[in-house]
Amino acid sequence: MTSNKLPIILIVLAVVLLAIYSSVFVVNAREQAIVVRFGQIQSVKTEPGIYFKLPFTFMDADRVQIVEKQALRFDLDNIRVQVRGGATFDVDAFVIYDIKDVRRFRETVSGDRESAEARLRTQLDSSLRRVYGLRDFDAALSEERVAMMLEVRDDLHRDAEALGLNIQDVRIRRTDLTREVAPKTYDRMRAERLAEAELLRAQGGEEGQRRRAIADRQVVEITAEAQRDSEILRGQGDAERNRLFADAFNKNPNFFEFYRSMAAYTTAMSSQDTTLVLSPNSEFFRYFNSASGFPGGVPPVPPTPSAAPTPPAASAN
């Protein structure tokens, strides 16, 4: 009897174990789970752990849909965009996003990541064309590129929220000129750079002339001041020399006359070709005739002042 019940017990035990196994599901740290019962969202599990649901999934009973919790990425390659002015670029971009609202993500795209990315890819294409079309050629190759990426991210934000997604970042990976317009564009850039170089040269020449004019004026001013100071010093030196000559003449007139005569001889006879036509008795040769410079070698005695008359002595009373 017992042996006949053993198979039944084993079958019941297997069914129980199968029911327990089918009613348990695990959510890890990189996942989120949606429990769907008869097509309706029963619950959303966003935290990691072990959870339970109705066993089996027949007749559209509880089904678990796993969606990613980590950051996701999709790329958009080889988009041809036109900037203001007519130049065209080949652009590659990518988007980093995460599933923020799992319930809305399930309701809008049935939890299908490919459907959500297809919608975002269409919006990304449109936003890139608009952002590039509002700017000039140089903007995409300058620091303004960061502002362009932020603008595209803001454009995607509203559509992403409607899908239950959060846009973390948008990056423009490549911006290249198309082969058709690259030669003309490079020629235009070269011409612009040459014109800019000529302008810089002209400005540099103008600045150089201005600085040279300033330097020349300063040279004239400094030279005039130096000449003025030299004339003042020369006048002061001449005055001091005349004062010294006057003092020397007052102290010893004979020696002073002798010194001046020797200086005159040195100046007049400094060259061997010098010829003087003078009388031997001229004043110029007086020191050749006498060392003292006076006839007979004796200088005249300067007159002495006459003595004042002596007043008569007073008579004694």
Side-chain angles (χ1 to χ4, degrees):
M1 190 71 181
T2 304
S3 60
N4 294 332
K5 292 182 179 180
L6 182 60
I8 298 174
I9 294 173
L10 292 176
I11 293 173
V12 171
L13 182 60
V15 171
V16 171
L17 292 176
L18 181 61
I20 293 174
Y21 176 78
S22 62
S23 63
V24 175
F25 63 96
V26 178
V27 178
N28 62 39
R30 297 177 297 174
E31 298 175 338
Q32 303 175 88
I34 307 171
V35 179
V36 181
R37 181 179 299 170
F38 303 113
Q40 301 296 325
I41 298 176
Q42 182 66 24
S43 62
V44 175
K45 310 300 182 183
T46 59
E47 298 297 329
I50 300 175
Y51 297 94
F52 296 91
K53 63 179 182 62
L54 292 179
F56 309 113
T57 57
F58 62 91
M59 296 181 61
D60 206 21
D62 287 3
R63 291 187 300 107
V64 178
Q65 183 178 9
I66 301 297
V67 297
E68 291 84 352
K69 189 177 183 180
Q70 58 189 352
L72 303 172
R73 165 178 170 166
F74 74 87
D75 293 74
L76 186 63
D77 298 329
N78 297 323
I79 301 300
R80 181 160 295 187
V81 298
Q82 185 175 10
V83 297
R84 186 169 56 192
T88 55
F89 289 101
D90 288 332
V91 177
D92 294 344
F94 65 88
V95 176
I96 304 296
Y97 72 97
D98 62 90
I99 303 173
K100 181 180 180 181
D101 190 339
V102 181
R103 186 179 295 273
R104 183 176 296 179
F105 181 67
R106 166 68 188 185
E107 292 173 349
T108 53
V109 292
S110 300
D112 185 9
R113 176 181 167 185
E114 291 184 359
S115 298
E117 289 182 355
R119 294 191 184 185
L120 287 179
R121 189 174 282 106
T122 301
Q123 179 60 28
L124 177 61
D125 183 287
S126 175
S127 181
L128 285 173
R129 295 180 187 277
R130 183 189 67 82
V131 169
Y132 274 87
L134 294 175
R135 287 168 171 81
D136 294 325
F137 172 82
D138 295 334
L141 306 177
S142 66
E143 296 179 354
E144 194 174 349
R145 187 170 178 173
V146 177
M148 295 169 64
M149 291 187 291
L150 294 176
E151 189 172 344
V152 173
R153 186 194 66 181
D154 294 340
D155 285 348
L156 294 180
H157 186 68
R158 182 179 300 176
D159 291 338
E161 278 192 342
L163 298 175
L165 307 179
N166 174 54
I167 303 297
Q168 296 184 7
D169 198 7
V170 175
R171 292 289 174 176
I172 298 174
R173 189 174 69 246
R174 178 177 69 94
T175 300
D176 291 338
L177 287 170
T178 58
R179 294 181 179 179
E180 293 80 4
V181 301
K184 295 181 180 179
T185 303
Y186 291 146
D187 292 340
R188 182 171 61 85
M189 292 173 62
R190 187 179 297 108
E192 291 176 353
R193 296 300 176 269
L194 289 175
E196 185 177 355
E198 290 297 331
L199 177 61
L200 291 176
R201 289 193 191 97
Q203 292 176 348
E206 181 181 355
E207 181 67 16
Q209 291 180 356
R210 187 183 67 83
R211 296 195 177 189
R212 280 192 293 270
I214 294 174
D216 292 341
R217 186 180 70 246
Q218 291 177 347
V219 168
V220 172
E221 293 175 353
I222 293 173
T223 303
E225 292 178 358
Q227 290 178 349
R228 181 198 62 194
D229 295 341
S230 67
E231 292 296 333
I232 293 173
L233 293 175
R234 187 177 293 109
Q236 293 175 351
D238 291 342
E240 181 67 14
R241 183 193 62 180
N242 294 335
R243 186 185 66 80
L244 293 175
F245 281 163
D247 291 343
F249 181 79
N250 292 330
K251 289 181 180 179
N252 193 337
N254 294 333
F255 177 78
F256 184 77
E257 288 294 335
F258 176 77
Y259 173 78
R260 293 296 299 272
S261 296
M262 293 300 103
Y265 295 156
T266 302
T267 303
M269 301 177 184
S270 59
S271 176
Q272 296 179 358
D273 298 332
T274 302
T275 302
L276 298 177
V277 181
L278 296 172
S279 172
N281 298 323
S282 67
E283 185 70 15
F284 184 77
F285 290 112
R286 66 175 181 171
Y287 282 99
F288 280 88
N289 299 323
S290 174
S292 63
F294 298 100
V298 179
V301 179
T304 57
S306 58
T310 304
S315 58
N317 293 329

